[in-house]
């Protein structure tokens, strides 16, 4: 190497630490041949061996007084991080207040040390168990009953089936009644090996116009972002496929990002049927071993197409030409822990660095993206018609204020019950949808349907058990629970918070003969559960499927003729300025699940707020009308896309200390506030306590995102949190609970 001119060589290494800086190490003679930017190296840091990534090589000796350690070992034979990924990671680290080393760590899949899974079995024989049962508590009994009929179960599966926490399990292990074994996990990749082949369709006029635009930019190898808006079934995916054809013809690679919880098998199959083995898959439900194989295929250029969830944005392409972000409005694209990047925005940066084309596709684009298209930052492409002309389902609202008797505990109106019954009789299938799992309680007047809003921030007030009061979690404003509804003056204010499990119980009670299944986040944590339930539902051996947003997307079962939305208001009453947008998206998507075959579909939406414009526009599936209305609200209250936000979260064990530190930070912010940014809070987060840690937040608002960076960086120069406080910064936050 040409740096071997007798001088000592040094490298800059970034480590997976919170601090965003690099550390200098000297290179021992025997390693000089091996070092290269983008390779991982083993170093000693605070007397521990750590892995880091080499980001620079130089021969400038560090200051005399600095003690420089030597590199211990070089991990990789070839660089694992390309210069382009180094740049992307650096951008993400700086933009999202993470560290370069931490982001780089997420670029490389961790090699699986062992892919063994924890299994549970009985530690004593069945007869002994039966004798013991009387002495045990309920949870422990449930565990043993399940093990009596399933002698060997994965721990996660067992906990799920028994609906218990870890602690009864631990007790039973301690007493020797059950035991743990570690067994090799099967390779859980389910993609069918035999995929039908498919040919490109002759495009409709609309599709052709859109594809021509994309192809022009792909041909020119220019950076450009397109927003492709089209209802489900309008042929977006077909456009992706044909644009990718073009990319491959140019000898380049394409990345297709899909939301994490999407129904990947279907997407996977469509791509494999067109491109065969030229497709790599990266998402959380494939094994680490497989992930590693796929990663190396991409890096060696053995595949042209990669389909993956959020973290696939770090796939090691050699020659990227196109990035598709399907369902670009999905919130799962934003990572909710460090590094808190948004995969859509990172995709746009990556495309910029590589002169690639980006397609953001959605039936219901985010307000931010629509606004960018309107401003001319993105090129707008529109598909207004369905390719195959199945009719849109009929959507009806059920006004719960009239339909549910006041004292009744049920949430399933008589009309919905009747509709379900009809489906069961006709052997058709039903989907029941609850916008989210039961969660932080909110308050609603069951007479007029309105929930209480903060007068300053216009977000729903949340009920705090501890204060027995309502709180705005943006500004901290505290309000009493009024005895009368401020809108209709009725005394019918009620606490809400109902989850999918409760609905499942109720459906079982109402329709004991029906085959019922539930799908929500808790269930999909188990491997194969999602695929399992979906394939059963596809085959028709489940009559009623109950679920959260997971079932809102992608499901395409012709025999589903009824979709019931249990309570549209749940997502509406979340204290989040995006609540309307989220509700509209969910309702539009879930409505699209009904009547996808020859049978006509019906959608029943239960709500206490039938007049709400996001519900009204969802009934008519009128995205543009919703957008026009919602964008006015955002402008009026100066929320994104008219402003940019940063959420600064403080966590710690002692509540008063957390608040105190948050206040110190706020003071420092105020001192540095040369551009008059809005500083809201500190106030307790909606989820004010997690794992016995108290949480406070400060919300910053600015017209320009660089001002947010400036003020925070300046503040961090003079304020560092003490060790017992965890400080997190979330730029362009999506989840602000
Ligand atoms: P989207 O991604 O917008 O939901 P798809 O691309 O999946 O739409 O198209 C919907 C259906 O129509 C699919 O079954 C697809 O194979 C089919 N399709 C798409 N484009 C055409 C076309 N030009 N001619 C015939 N069928 C098409
Ligand atoms: Zn407020």
């Amino acid at each position: 190497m040409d740096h071997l001119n007798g001088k000592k060589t040094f490298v800059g290494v970034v480590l997976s630490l919170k601090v965003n800086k690099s550390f200098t190490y000297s290179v021992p003679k025997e390693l000089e041949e091996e070092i290269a930017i983008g390779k991982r190296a083993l170093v000693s840091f605070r007397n521990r061996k750590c892995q880091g990534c080499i980001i620079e090589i130089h021969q400038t000796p560090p200051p005399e007084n600095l003690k420089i350690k030597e590199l211990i070992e070089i991990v990789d034979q070839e660089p694992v991080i390309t210069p382009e990924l180094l740049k992307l990671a650096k951008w993400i680290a700086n933009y999202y207040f993470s560290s370069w080393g931490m982001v780089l760590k997420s670029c490389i899949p961790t090699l699986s040390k062992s892919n063994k899974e924890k299994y549970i079995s009985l530690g004593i024989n069945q007869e002994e168990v039966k004798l013991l049962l009387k002495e045990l508590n309920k949870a422990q009994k449930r565990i043993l009953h399940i093990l009596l009929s399933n002698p060997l179960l994965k721990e996660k599966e067992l906990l799920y089936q028994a609906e218990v926490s870890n602690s009864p399990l631990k007790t039973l292990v301690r007493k020797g009644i059950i035991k743990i074994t570690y067994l090799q996990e099967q390779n859980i990749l389910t993609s069918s090996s035999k995929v039908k082949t498919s040919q490109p369709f002759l495009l409709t006029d609309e599709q052709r116009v859109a594809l021509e635009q994309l192809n022009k930019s792909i041909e020119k190898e220019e950076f450009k972002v397109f927003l492709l808006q089209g209802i489900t079934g309008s042929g977006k995916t077909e456009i992706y496929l044909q644009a990718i054809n073009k990319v491959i013809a140019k000898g380049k690679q394409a990345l297709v990002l899909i939301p994490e919880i999407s129904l990947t098998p279907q997407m996977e199959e469509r791509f494999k049927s067109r491109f065969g083995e030229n497709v790599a898959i990266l998402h959380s439900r494939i094994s680490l071993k497989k992930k590693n194989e796929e990663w190396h295929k991409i890096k060696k250029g053995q595949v042209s197409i990669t389909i993956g969830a959020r973290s696939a944005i770090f796939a090691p392409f050699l020659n990227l030409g196109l990035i598709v972000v399907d369902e670009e409005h999905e919130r799962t694209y934003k990572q909710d822990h460090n590094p808190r990047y948004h995969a859509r925005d990172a995709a746009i940066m990556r495309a910029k660095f590589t002169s690639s084309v980006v397609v953001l596709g959605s039936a219901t684009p985010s307000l931010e993206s629509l606004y960018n298209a309107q401003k001319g930052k993105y090129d707008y492409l529109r598909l207004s018609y369905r390719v195959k002309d199945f009719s849109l389902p009929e959507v009806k609202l059920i006004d719960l204020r009239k339909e549910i008797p006041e004292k009744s505990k049920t949430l399933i109106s008589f009309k919905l019950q009747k509709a379900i019954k009809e489906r069961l009789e006709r052997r058709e299938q039903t989907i029941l949808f609850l916008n989210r799992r039961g969660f932080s309680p909110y308050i609603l007047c069951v007479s007029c349907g309105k929930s209480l809003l903060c007068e300053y921030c216009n977000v729903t007030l949340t009920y705090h058990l501890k204060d027995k009061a309502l709180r705005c979690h943006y500004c901290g404003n505290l309000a009493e629970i009024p005895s009368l509804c401020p809108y209709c003056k009725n005394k019918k204010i009620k606490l809400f918070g109902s989850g999918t499990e409760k609905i499942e119980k109720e459906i079982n009670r109402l329709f004991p003969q029906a085959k019922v299944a539930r799908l929500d986040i808790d269930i999909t944590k188990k491997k194969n559960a999602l695929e399992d339930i979906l394939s059963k539902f596809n085959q028709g051996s489940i009559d009623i499927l109950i679920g959260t947003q997971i079932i809102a997307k992608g499901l395409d079962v012709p025999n589903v003729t009824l979709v019931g939305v249990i309570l549209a208001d749940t997502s509406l009453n979340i204290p989040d300025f995006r609540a309307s947008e989220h509700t509209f998206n969910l309702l539009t998507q879930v409505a699209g699940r009904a009547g996808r075959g020859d049978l006509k579909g019906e959608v029943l939406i239960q709500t206490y707020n039938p007049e709400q414009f996001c519900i009204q526009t969802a009934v008519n599936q009128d995205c543009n009308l919703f957008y026009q209305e919602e964008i006015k609200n955002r402008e009026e209250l100066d929320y994104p896309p008219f402003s940019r936000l940063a959420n600064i979260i403080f966590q710690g064990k002692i509540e008063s200390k957390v608040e105190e530190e948050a206040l110190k930070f706020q003071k420092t912010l105020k001192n540095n506030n040369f551009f008059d940014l809005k500083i809201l809070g500190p106030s307790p987060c909606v989820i004010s306590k997690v794992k016995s840690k108290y949480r406070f937040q400060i919300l910053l608002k600015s017209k320009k995102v660089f001002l947010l960076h400036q003020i925070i960086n300046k503040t961090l120069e003079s304020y560092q949190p003490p060790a017992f406080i965890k400080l997190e910064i979330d730029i362009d936050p999506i989840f602000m609970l």
Side-chain angles (χ1 to χ4, degrees):
M1 274 188 190
D2 50 358
H3 53 260
L4 290 173
N5 49 3
K7 284 190 193 164
K8 190 133 192 68
T9 307
F10 299 93
V11 288
V13 173
V14 291
L15 301 166
S16 169
L17 301 170
K18 271 183 111 180
V19 287
N20 192 14
K21 62 182 262 198
S22 73
F23 299 89
T24 305
Y25 290 86
S26 67
V27 183
K29 274 273 170 290
E30 66 275 15
L31 290 182
E32 279 193 342
E33 289 286 344
E34 281 184 54
I35 54 168
I37 289 175
K39 278 190 184 180
R40 285 170 299 175
L42 208 58
V43 299
S44 154
F45 185 78
R46 299 211 173 113
N47 298 322
R48 287 207 350 244
K49 276 189 191 175
C50 299
Q51 224 179 61
C53 183
I54 300 175
I55 50 132
E56 59 175 353
I57 300 173
H58 61 84
Q59 293 181 322
T60 329
E64 294 273 313
N65 52 355
L66 214 65
K67 245 183 80 191
I68 295 293
K69 283 183 236 162
E70 283 197 331
L71 282 183
I72 300 173
E73 200 181 296
I74 301 293
V75 177
D76 305 300
Q77 294 195 324
E78 296 290 319
V80 284
I81 309 276
T82 58
E84 177 234 323
L85 268 180
L86 274 177
K87 199 164 147 192
L88 179 73
K90 189 175 188 180
W91 178 81
I92 289 178
N94 291 339
Y95 187 90
Y96 292 104
F97 288 92
S98 180
S99 79
W100 203 1
M102 227 156 148
V103 181
L104 281 175
K105 203 179 164 212
S106 31
C107 293
I108 313 160
T110 25
L111 274 160
S112 45
K113 285 192 196 71
S114 109
N115 49 351
K116 288 194 171 165
E117 275 263 346
K118 207 172 181 181
Y119 281 82
I120 308 289
S121 59
L122 289 175
I124 52 180
N125 71 37
Q126 299 214 345
E127 297 311 310
E128 288 172 315
V129 172
K130 281 174 193 156
L131 289 174
L132 260 174
L133 280 175
K134 272 186 266 132
E135 299 161 26
L136 302 173
N137 69 27
K138 238 182 171 170
Q140 294 168 340
K141 269 186 209 155
R142 275 218 292 276
I143 292 175
L144 290 177
H145 274 301
I146 291 166
L147 282 173
L148 281 172
S149 43
N150 303 281
L152 183 71
L153 260 183
K154 266 192 202 168
E155 182 188 40
K156 282 185 214 145
E157 171 90 26
L158 178 63
L159 289 177
Y160 164 69
Q161 283 195 18
E163 298 183 350
V164 297
S165 71
N166 242 321
S167 79
L169 201 76
K170 279 190 192 149
T171 315
L172 289 172
V173 173
R174 215 175 40 239
K175 291 185 176 168
I177 302 172
I178 62 174
K179 61 180 186 209
I180 299 170
T181 23
Y182 287 89
L183 295 171
Q184 200 74 20
E185 184 189 357
Q186 302 114 325
N187 198 340
I188 38 145
L189 190 77
T190 48
S191 84
S192 40
S193 47
K194 282 217 168 58
V195 212
K196 279 181 257 155
T197 55
S198 76
Q199 295 299 318
F201 287 104
L202 194 64
L203 295 182
T204 64
D205 288 347
E206 273 189 330
Q207 280 176 314
R208 214 189 46 246
V209 171
L211 183 68
E212 274 167 8
Q213 298 286 318
L214 295 179
N215 279 349
K216 235 187 267 165
S217 292
I218 293 169
E219 184 57 47
K220 278 199 248 167
E221 306 190 10
E222 64 178 353
F223 165 64
K224 197 165 217 171
V225 185
F226 292 89
L227 177 62
L228 174 61
Q229 184 181 2
I231 49 171
T232 39
S234 60
K236 295 186 294 295
T237 310
E238 184 61 31
I239 294 179
Y240 306 156
L241 290 165
Q242 298 202 17
I244 289 171
N245 251 338
K246 176 91 183 165
V247 173
I248 295 174
K250 288 193 70 74
K252 296 193 140 194
Q253 291 171 305
L255 168 65
V256 181
L257 288 178
I258 50 176
E260 178 73 57
I261 322 167
S262 76
L263 310 168
T264 44
Q266 286 182 11
M267 199 68 166
E268 211 179 303
E269 238 165 75
R270 278 191 73 182
F271 278 78
K272 288 204 160 155
S273 73
R274 194 69 57 87
F275 300 109
E277 291 304 306
N278 205 359
V279 184
I281 310 285
L282 291 175
H283 59 69
S284 64
R285 289 204 307 281
I286 65 172
S287 66
L288 271 175
K289 184 166 158 262
K290 184 76 190 164
K291 214 178 256 179
N292 264 280
E293 282 171 26
E294 300 288 72
W295 191 85
H296 282 107
K297 270 198 228 162
I298 302 165
K299 192 154 180 294
K300 288 185 198 137
Q302 290 167 347
V303 289
S304 310
I305 304 153
T306 299
I307 305 178
R310 184 175 61 223
S311 63
I313 189 64
F314 298 117
F317 298 103
L318 303 171
N319 194 2
L320 195 61
L322 172 72
I323 306 179
V324 172
V325 184
D326 192 33
E327 310 282 0
E328 68 86 28
H329 63 278
E330 277 298 331
R331 293 136 74 101
T332 45
Y333 281 128
K334 176 89 160 129
Q335 179 146 298
D336 65 355
H337 53 269
N338 193 346
R340 292 172 172 268
Y341 64 96
H342 197 301
R344 175 195 59 212
D345 300 337
I348 291 172
M349 284 318 287
R350 188 157 188 192
K352 204 169 177 177
F353 295 153
T354 52
S355 295
S356 300
V357 175
V358 181
V359 185
L360 309 177
S362 174
T364 52
S366 62
L367 270 269
E368 284 85 349
S369 293
L370 276 168
Y371 184 72
N372 279 332
Q374 205 178 38
K375 290 266 156 204
K377 242 177 111 178
Y378 302 163
D379 281 28
Y380 183 69
L381 305 170
R382 176 86 210 227
L383 301 177
S384 329
Y385 306 102
R386 287 211 151 122
V387 181
K388 289 178 193 158
D389 200 30
F390 58 79
S391 55
L392 285 165
E394 192 182 354
V395 185
K396 286 188 213 136
L397 291 180
I398 295 178
D399 186 344
L400 289 178
R401 296 171 306 188
K402 299 194 187 111
E403 299 294 334
I404 298 263
E406 216 175 285
K407 291 230 169 61
S408 119
K409 290 230 163 67
T410 179
L411 256 180
I412 300 173
S413 67
F414 191 66
K415 281 185 182 164
L416 182 55
Q417 285 182 33
K418 188 161 158 274
I420 296 172
K421 199 161 156 254
E422 282 168 18
R423 291 335 185 268
L424 289 172
E425 282 161 9
R426 297 208 297 258
R427 312 205 126 261
E428 292 167 8
Q429 287 165 290
T430 298
I431 291 177
L432 292 180
F433 176 76
L434 187 65
N435 292 20
R436 60 190 294 119
R437 292 180 299 155
F439 184 49
S440 182
Y442 61 94
I443 296 241
L444 191 89
C445 168
V446 295
S447 172
C448 71
K450 294 209 172 77
S451 59
L452 305 178
L453 302 178
C454 170
E455 51 182 314
Y456 309 107
C457 308
N458 206 28
V459 298
T460 318
L461 294 167
T462 310
Y463 179 68
H464 276 242
L465 258 172
K466 213 190 79 202
D467 309 321
K468 293 215 166 30
L470 300 167
R471 227 184 223 287
C472 168
H473 88 112
Y474 283 11
C475 70
N477 177 32
L478 205 67
E480 299 238 319
I481 303 171
S483 53
L484 295 180
C485 167
Y487 308 103
C488 74
K489 308 289 179 227
N490 261 309
K491 263 195 185 167
K492 291 180 183 168
I493 289 185
K494 209 169 148 182
L495 257 178
F496 277 84
S498 189
T500 39
E501 278 168 62
K502 212 166 136 195
I503 300 297
E504 186 185 17
K505 287 216 176 88
E506 202 173 334
I507 289 292
N508 280 327
R509 185 177 60 79
L510 289 168
F511 306 102
Q513 76 284 18
K515 277 165 272 160
V516 181
R518 174 166 63 92
L519 261 188
D520 53 31
I521 296 266
D522 302 327
I523 289 180
T524 54
K525 280 188 185 138
K526 290 192 315 159
K527 289 175 178 140
N528 282 342
L530 177 71
E531 286 82 358
D532 234 44
I533 293 177
L534 288 177
S535 89
K536 280 194 190 135
F537 192 61
N538 265 313
Q539 291 156 13
S541 55
I542 292 170
D543 300 315
I544 304 172
L545 182 63
I546 303 166
T548 53
Q549 35 264 59
I550 301 166
I551 59 170
K553 277 167 275 191
L555 264 186
D556 190 357
V557 182
N559 196 36
V560 173
T561 58
L562 174 66
V563 168
V565 177
I566 302 293
L567 189 60
D569 319 41
T570 35
S571 62
L572 201 56
N573 289 306
I574 292 168
D576 177 348
F577 70 89
R578 289 193 181 88
S580 286
E581 180 183 1
H582 189 46
T583 305
F584 175 82
N585 288 347
L586 279 175
L587 291 177
T588 318
Q589 272 172 21
V590 81
R593 301 302 122 221
R596 295 176 75 90
D598 301 329
L599 302 166
K600 180 134 181 80
E602 184 181 21
V603 180
L604 297 176
I605 300 177
Q606 301 197 125
T607 173
Y608 286 103
N609 289 277
E611 311 82 13
Q612 272 286 339
F613 81 92
C614 66
I615 292 179
Q616 285 289 334
T617 46
V619 168
N620 301 317
Q621 314 213 348
D622 191 341
C623 194
N624 288 350
L625 192 61
F626 171 76
Y627 172 74
Q628 280 166 25
E629 204 49 45
E630 180 64 9
I631 201 84
K632 275 190 254 165
N633 290 339
R634 298 281 178 91
E635 186 161 24
E636 206 172 292
L637 290 152
D638 197 27
Y639 281 130
F642 295 94
S643 66
R644 302 295 286 267
L645 303 178
N647 199 17
I648 301 160
I649 306 145
F650 298 81
Q651 288 189 61
K653 288 231 161 87
I654 303 162
E655 190 174 17
S656 58
K657 290 278 179 209
V658 183
E659 187 167 22
E660 200 177 293
E661 291 303 319
L663 274 166
K664 274 190 213 159
F665 194 89
Q666 182 232 40
K667 276 220 187 82
T668 326
L669 275 172
K670 280 188 171 161
N671 289 337
N672 293 322
N673 194 4
F674 309 119
F675 293 95
D676 219 17
L677 309 192
K678 270 194 204 120
I679 304 171
L680 300 170
S683 63
C685 300
V686 174
I687 304 172
S688 57
K689 197 178 171 189
V690 174
K691 292 181 187 152
S692 70
K693 283 202 173 129
Y694 291 90
R695 305 172 73 234
F696 280 77
Q697 67 181 23
I698 296 174
L699 194 61
L700 287 177
K701 238 186 205 184
S702 163
K703 283 279 169 225
K704 297 275 174 229
V705 74
F706 79 88
L707 292 178
L708 292 175
H709 285 102
Q710 218 170 63
I711 189 172
I712 295 170
N713 278 325
K714 191 97 189 102
T715 304
L716 289 174
E717 275 169 26
S718 49
Y719 173 93
Q720 280 299 322
F724 56 90
I725 296 286
K726 189 172 163 200
L727 183 150
E728 282 182 286
I729 297 163
D730 191 0
I731 300 289
D732 302 329
I734 298 276
F735 315 96
M736 289 193 286
L737 305 173

